[in-house]
Amino acid sequence: MPDRRRRLPSVDSLLRSDPGRRASERSGRAVVRRAIRSVLDDARAASRRGREPPDEEALLARAVALAARMSSGLTPVINATGVILHTNLGRAPLPEPAVRAVERAARGYTDLEVDRESGTRGRRTSRAEFLLEALTGAEAALVLNNNAAALLLAMAALARRRDVVVSRGELIEIGGEFRLPEIMRASGAKLVEVGTTNRTRLTDYRAAMTERTGLILKVHPSNYRVVGFAESPPVSSLAALARRAAVPLLYDTGSGLLEPVRPVPGEEPAANHALADGADLVCFSGDKLLGGPQAGVVLGRADLIARLRRHPIARAVRVDKMTVAALETVLAMHAQARRDELPVWRSLTERPTALRARARQLVGSIPGASVAAGESVAGGGSVPGYGIPSTVIRLPEERPERLATRLRVGSPPVFCRVEDGAVLFDLRTVEAEDDERLARAIRYAREEV
Ligand SMILES: *Cc1c(COP(=O)(O)O)cnc(C)c1O
């Protein structure tokens, strides 16, 4: 093995080659050097596993491609997966007015943190918080970087060195390294698990409450659903228990649904109901069903929100001005009864018949493709376990995974689903104006296969 590894060229010799120099002019020498190092590391690892390392030309091609990819920034993709809130594809797309607000905030100076009348310092999130209070009836609101930050802050500010009582059925893990027990440990709070995975009763909570209890936490199991023999006490009972013990109840509702609304199933918790049912604090994400930018929102009792606001972690997880701009705009749209203009809600409510018409139009130009019934999902920790009837384009393929890969690396990149020996394209998550580009991308990718 060592002799093979020795055959690998040096970083400098690759950097000095013609392709290396040309790439350096485009992306910068430091970036190409970094890419070469990475490619050589991979080749070394492969040769340790007994594989012949690629020749110099192939190594260079990989490094040049890597440097180009790393310098070109985020690439827009077509999401034909049918997963509306796709965390890996950036969750909620923003509505046009929010995009314009972000652009204005990014380009010049704004009155981000200043009260224009008095000229005194203001708070950057005061407008968004005002709108959230108006929309949900909450006494107070707080906007942070994301929901994980909201949980971290709430537990640090309210339950450091104290117990946080949580049902075993709600100790969730969400894609992207979000594990509730780890966040709790980082906050300095101690986790006290009660009940079992499928059943937790009010008496389980009551038995776990001591003078060390700092917080009762209820978490919406947002990416799975316990069906069948399952039980958990309603928020109102937990709230009554919390009140008697003079301990706050924090409800992590996850998705940011502000009020119950069709077609979202009634099991998805809405912020206004959670508050009305007696939760002292409610927290959720800005970029799920709320349809806005990445953010975390905490709503509820003014005295508790004030404690959160004063904690040093609040400053460490504050939002940037572009988030402020986008969130304010999206909240104003909710307030103006313009929820249906938000891309997430347009996708959620698009009728299967409308999707079928588009799919029929497209399959004519994709040989071998047919229109089939399918199911989209809300995704991203919202409305788990429920499919949304949809229409898909189905393309049987001998090697569907290979076509899916070609589509991902194509231009425009396309993300689809692979099921039962076929590639599926769900138009629910595709902008109608992208239909033609999608069909073209599929045709190209197939010609190459
Ligand atoms: C998505 C989700 C989180 C994590 O929210 P981020 O905004 O991604 O940090 C936490 N709790 C629940 C219940 C969620 O659904």
Side-chain angles (χ1 to χ4, degrees):
M1 250 22 91
D3 36 319
R4 264 199 209 145
R5 249 177 286 161
R6 218 174 297 134
R7 285 213 304 270
L8 284 174
S10 73
V11 173
D12 280 325
S13 72
L14 291 177
L15 202 51
R16 278 196 306 268
S17 69
D18 278 347
R21 275 180 218 270
R22 279 197 301 276
S24 294
E25 274 165 30
R26 282 192 304 273
S27 309
R29 202 174 147 84
V31 172
V32 178
R33 181 195 296 279
R34 173 71 181 76
I36 290 172
R37 254 202 2 246
S38 183
V39 164
L40 288 176
D41 284 349
D42 287 350
R44 239 170 256 128
S47 85
R48 271 197 296 276
R49 290 193 302 269
R51 291 231 299 274
E52 189 65 29
D55 63 20
E56 192 164 320
E57 201 179 327
L59 286 168
L60 260 172
R62 277 184 207 179
V64 169
L66 177 61
R69 216 163 52 242
M70 290 299 150
S71 326
S72 61
L74 290 181
T75 305
V77 308
I78 294 181
N79 174 12
T81 62
V83 181
I84 298 170
L85 296 165
H86 200 303
T87 299
N88 298 354
L89 302 183
R91 288 197 188 152
L94 291 178
E96 205 46 51
V99 172
R100 286 197 300 272
V102 169
E103 203 183 313
R104 283 194 300 271
R107 180 162 291 134
Y109 298 108
T110 59
D111 58 352
L112 180 68
E113 278 189 2
V114 59
D115 178 69
R116 282 186 286 139
E117 295 213 349
S118 61
T120 56
R121 173 128 196 250
R123 278 189 307 105
R124 60 178 55 202
T125 49
S126 57
R127 288 159 297 245
E129 288 158 3
F130 185 95
L131 293 173
L132 282 160
E133 289 158 15
L135 282 163
T136 60
E139 201 174 274
L142 179 60
V143 171
L144 304 157
N145 182 58
N146 59 5
N147 193 17
L151 285 163
L152 175 69
L153 172 60
M155 291 188 282
L158 306 177
R160 199 171 109 82
R161 296 215 196 93
R162 306 191 70 185
D163 294 348
V164 176
V165 180
V166 193
S167 160
R168 284 205 172 80
E170 299 175 358
L171 286 171
I172 60 167
E173 171 170 347
I174 294 178
E177 296 93 46
F178 176 93
R179 288 199 187 91
L180 195 56
E182 288 175 8
I183 291 185
M184 209 173 289
R185 216 170 302 129
S187 75
K190 182 164 170 283
L191 171 65
V192 175
E193 304 173 31
V194 298
T196 61
T197 306
N198 60 332
R199 299 191 89 182
T200 304
R201 299 180 184 81
L202 196 62
T203 48
D204 296 324
Y205 284 94
R206 196 177 294 136
M209 307 273 293
T210 67
E211 72 285 351
R212 291 180 41 87
T213 308
L215 188 71
I216 300 179
L217 175 63
K218 182 172 175 60
V219 184
H220 179 53
S222 59
N223 52 358
Y224 62 92
R225 195 151 67 102
V226 181
V227 292
F229 191 59
E231 180 182 338
S232 64
V235 179
S236 51
S237 317
L238 273 182
L241 177 66
R243 212 172 310 123
R244 275 199 299 280
V247 162
L249 169 66
L250 166 61
Y251 189 2
D252 173 9
T253 60
S255 74
L257 185 67
L258 296 179
E259 55 184 2
V261 55
R262 271 168 52 81
V264 177
E267 285 154 56
E268 188 67 22
N272 66 347
H273 276 194
L275 291 167
D277 284 347
D280 297 290
L281 292 175
V282 170
C283 66
F284 52 81
S285 302
D287 52 357
K288 295 181 178 173
L289 291 182
L290 192 68
Q294 178 190 305
V297 171
V298 190
L299 302 175
R301 264 169 54 189
D303 61 324
L304 298 176
I305 297 272
R307 280 168 66 187
L308 266 55
R309 210 189 283 292
R310 280 198 302 269
H311 195 280
I313 287 181
R315 175 59 179 80
V317 295
R318 77 170 184 191
V319 287
D320 83 315
K321 61 183 179 179
M322 290 181 280
T323 301
V324 167
L327 185 62
E328 289 171 354
T329 309
V330 167
L331 291 170
M333 290 173 75
H334 277 280
Q336 296 152 13
R338 292 165 65 198
R339 182 180 53 222
D340 291 344
E341 290 175 42
L342 303 175
V344 167
W345 284 85
R346 271 210 314 264
S347 291
L348 269 174
T349 53
E350 180 74 299
R351 288 172 182 282
T353 48
L355 296 171
R356 199 172 313 130
R358 283 168 55 195
R360 285 220 180 96
Q361 181 80 32
L362 285 188
V363 290
S365 66
I366 309 168
S370 60
V371 177
E375 267 194 356
S376 321
V377 294
S382 307
V383 204
Y386 285 95
I388 307 167
S390 188
T391 304
V392 299
I393 295 175
R394 187 168 187 279
L395 189 55
E397 199 56 55
E398 208 148 296
R399 300 171 70 183
E401 295 289 355
R402 192 173 139 133
L403 179 61
T405 304
R406 299 237 187 222
L407 284 160
R408 280 198 307 274
V409 300
S411 173
V414 174
F415 285 72
C416 58
R417 290 208 305 269
V418 171
E419 269 170 35
D420 303 328
V423 182
L424 303 184
F425 304 91
D426 188 333
L427 295 183
R428 185 178 290 284
T429 45
V430 178
E431 286 284 332
E433 63 193 42
D434 280 340
D435 281 359
E436 272 311 315
R437 292 170 69 228
L438 171 63
R440 216 175 312 132
I442 298 171
R443 287 197 299 272
Y444 278 140
R446 274 182 105 205
E447 278 161 23
E448 289 173 17
V449 170

